[in-house]
Amino acid sequence: MKRACALASLLLALSACSDGIDNNRLRVDVIEDSPREMAVSRMPLSPASAYLRNATAQGLVAFDAEGRVVPALASRWIVTDDDLGYIFRLQKTRWNNGRDVSSDEVATALRTRMVDLLKSRYGSELANIDRVLPMTGKVVEIRLRAPIPNLLELLAQPEFGLIHKASGSGPMVAERISGSVHLRNRLEESDGSIGLDEKRVILAAQAPSRALARFALQQSDLVVNGRFEHLPLLKATQGNEASARFDAVPGLFGLMIVGDGPFLSNIANRNALTMAIDRPRLLTSFGITDWRETLTLAPETLANREQIPRPGWASLNAQQRKAEARTTISAWEAANGQVRPLRIAMPRGTGSRIAFARIRSDLAAIGLDAERVTYAQTADLMLIDRVADISSPGWYLDQLSCDATPICSEKADALLDNARRALTREERIRLWGEAERELIATRNFIPIANPVRWSLVRDGLLGFAQNPRGWHPLQYLGREPT
């Protein structure tokens, strides 16, 4: 209620409303819980900074409006028969400073960027890259130690946008005007000079309530990066719900077990927690039809994933699961004493409070109590809400490794390392399957649903498309689909 009142006050405070939409001058707000100045070189990239880097510093490849990998600096590419070489033919283009793009410069920029990203979330995949070589005739080759099946998806991420001598290569050029970032598509003229399109996108990072209030008052045309914890704000701003567009994205949404005390170190207790969560009841609290429960670590429909049976308790109804879990907890407490309230780390926001209330109610049904804490506090369980960077079973397994949580499986980590070094597709899939089975047996993660991302889209906005990545490149906005 307090949040709704604050949002209503903000709606009254904001002014200068406008009617309709001008596709030549679009205003885009990126939701950030703690907005800060955009910086394309600061790691990790904030959401707004990721949009800015993606727009002004393209990589070899990129994502289009529908989430497909498309040419960027590279006009085309081939993969060698052994899957250990990717050969990219560069487009004839220029850096934003007007200099011709050369294969030497691209190779150097890519090598530098990969070194920067080795300690990021992409590090485990990058370890398989052996060399980046410039070739004659605007060609760049990436040589691998072992195949990386989803390398193109990796290279299309905003973090892989290339900068040479502080200059990117578009597809847009940014300019700061009166404290705002204005972006315009590049036009390469016949004489080789770089011109700018008249259409522009004005990009800003906004706190959730302010972003929704601005949209309600027609002070923005598109709001992106909405997450589950922000969903109740939609109901507090009249008319915004009809403009919401949801992207059902792959990834992890659930509870990672990060406490390793006596209670959580017991695998039967961890299994009881997994059975206790009433997923349909939790998800229907938010009224999103595209938000579906999950019972497995990696999506069951994911390509290159072995057919792994659902857990045995999946055939039980919610009451049966809770009854079995309650028996486990009662036996533990009879032998070891009462379990203290479990500390669950979750993001701030009204939606997070709703989700916690449902989870706490489910745990109470099996005899446990819980308290909500922030990510900065000591926790026993942590809510994970991550969109998958690449369409690989290895990505899901990597999120639950011993580097990520104390409740883990060294055997699963070793299998995952072997899968990365596998030279054949069949061997890689087999090792991924063994690693996933090992993690399932470990019960170190409680899957709840697929992640969900949402946007607010003004009627008449051109160039926006819902897609399975939840990512909406700015260079397509205001333009008819091609």
Side-chain angles (χ1 to χ4, degrees):
M1 178 62 72
K2 290 182 180 178
R3 181 63 63 89
C5 291
L7 187 55
S9 299
L10 185 56
L11 281 167
L12 293 174
L14 293 171
S15 58
C17 303
S18 62
D19 295 321
I21 185 170
D22 180 3
N23 277 289
N24 292 317
R25 186 182 177 89
L26 296 171
R27 302 153 299 176
V28 177
D29 285 348
V30 184
I31 292 178
E32 292 185 4
D33 288 320
S34 300
R36 55 180 178 171
E37 185 176 1
M38 285 175 263
V40 297
S41 296
R42 184 191 299 144
M43 291 294 294
L45 291 174
S46 68
S49 296
Y51 270 97
L52 181 58
R53 185 170 184 119
N54 182 254
T56 58
Q58 61 188 334
L60 290 169
V61 293
F63 294 125
D64 68 6
E66 296 181 1
R68 299 169 298 198
V69 174
V70 295
L73 275 176
S75 60
R76 59 186 185 274
W77 55 88
I78 61 172
V79 183
T80 57
D81 291 341
D82 59 4
D83 291 330
L84 296 178
Y86 282 70
I87 301 171
F88 297 88
R89 170 75 63 177
L90 301 182
Q91 300 198 47
K92 182 176 175 54
T93 187
R94 295 172 182 262
W95 301 107
N96 287 341
N97 61 13
R99 290 173 51 88
D100 284 339
V101 171
S102 72
S103 55
D104 282 334
E105 292 166 343
V106 170
T108 299
L110 185 54
R111 284 194 296 263
T112 301
R113 194 60 184 153
M114 287 178 175
V115 170
D116 293 340
L117 293 173
L118 275 175
K119 294 183 179 180
S120 74
R121 67 181 191 266
Y122 305 113
S124 58
E125 298 294 338
L126 292 177
N128 266 344
I129 293 180
D130 184 21
R131 288 167 294 170
V132 180
L133 303 171
M135 313 292 283
T136 58
K138 285 191 174 292
V139 172
V140 172
E141 181 178 8
I142 298 178
R143 294 296 300 170
L144 309 177
R145 296 183 180 91
I148 304 177
N150 305 95
L151 179 62
L152 295 176
E153 284 183 285
L154 199 68
L155 296 176
Q157 299 293 331
E159 287 83 353
F160 287 84
L162 301 181
I163 295 175
H164 174 68
K165 293 185 178 180
S167 185
S169 63
M172 306 184 85
V173 174
E175 181 182 10
R176 291 189 183 272
I177 301 176
S178 301
S180 298
V181 175
H182 290 234
L183 291 149
R184 297 161 69 186
N185 276 44
R186 290 185 1 157
L187 301 173
E188 298 208 10
E189 308 292 354
S190 56
D191 62 359
S193 63
I194 295 175
L196 296 177
D197 194 355
E198 289 303 313
K199 294 175 179 284
R200 67 181 60 211
V201 173
I202 303 172
L203 181 67
Q206 302 286 358
S209 57
R210 185 172 182 84
L212 270 72
R214 280 169 49 84
F215 187 86
L217 291 173
Q218 300 184 35
Q219 293 182 354
S220 66
D221 305 299
L222 174 65
V223 176
V224 296
N225 197 45
R227 302 165 70 98
F228 90 96
E229 63 263 34
H230 311 134
L231 281 168
L233 295 178
L234 284 173
K235 299 182 184 297
T237 48
Q238 187 174 5
N240 277 1
E241 282 186 277
S243 300
R245 302 291 181 269
F246 292 92
D247 297 313
V249 291
L252 290 176
F253 184 91
L255 296 171
M256 178 187 288
I257 298 175
V258 294
D260 56 357
F263 176 76
L264 287 175
S265 294
N266 183 284
I267 192 169
N269 293 337
R270 300 199 297 272
N271 193 52
L273 297 180
T274 303
M275 295 172 65
I277 305 300
D278 188 339
R279 293 159 181 80
R281 178 171 173 264
L282 189 158
L283 300 181
T284 53
S285 302
F286 295 89
I288 306 172
T289 57
D290 288 331
W291 210 5
R292 307 292 174 82
E293 69 169 324
T294 58
L295 303 176
T296 57
L297 299 184
E300 294 176 274
T301 57
L302 183 64
N304 296 326
R305 178 182 182 267
E306 275 198 341
Q307 292 286 336
I308 298 175
R310 288 184 168 191
W313 51 262
S315 60
L316 304 177
N317 62 37
Q319 290 72 27
Q320 292 169 326
R321 295 177 192 175
K322 282 187 168 65
E324 190 171 320
R326 187 164 50 245
T327 298
T328 299
I329 300 304
S330 297
W332 167 267
E333 291 190 325
N336 300 278
Q338 186 173 6
V339 179
R340 62 165 173 75
L342 297 173
R343 297 160 298 189
I344 304 178
M346 301 183 74
R348 303 180 186 278
T350 308
S352 185
R353 289 198 292 272
I354 292 172
F356 173 75
R358 295 289 182 260
I359 292 170
R360 185 179 186 182
S361 173
D362 289 336
L363 295 180
I366 65 170
L368 296 172
D369 195 9
E371 60 185 41
R372 181 168 165 249
V373 300
T374 69
Y375 287 118
Q377 295 175 289
T378 302
D380 301 301
L381 299 98
M382 178 184 298
L383 183 72
I384 301 299
D385 181 11
R386 296 176 189 161
V387 177
D389 296 312
I390 57 177
S391 308
S392 164
W395 181 89
Y396 293 84
L397 305 176
D398 196 41
Q399 310 307 303
L400 306 174
S401 69
C402 292
D403 288 336
T405 176
I407 301 292
C408 63
S409 167
E410 293 183 357
K411 181 179 178 181
D413 282 7
L415 288 164
L416 181 55
D417 285 340
N418 289 338
R420 290 194 187 100
R421 293 192 291 268
L423 296 179
T424 67
R425 176 178 178 272
E426 292 74 21
E427 179 70 357
R428 190 162 46 250
I429 292 174
R430 182 186 68 78
L431 290 166
W432 278 337
E434 288 186 24
E436 184 172 352
R437 290 186 183 89
E438 181 66 24
L439 277 178
I440 290 171
T442 303
R443 301 289 197 273
N444 69 341
F445 180 72
I446 302 172
I448 294 176
N450 62 282
V452 66
R453 295 293 182 267
W454 55 269
S455 307
L456 294 177
V457 185
R458 182 80 59 214
D459 284 345
L461 174 65
L462 299 175
F464 176 91
Q466 292 169 263
N467 67 69
R469 298 187 188 277
W471 180 256
H472 304 284
L474 304 178
Q475 64 265 33
Y476 298 101
L477 298 179
R479 302 167 193 282
E480 293 282 359
T482 56

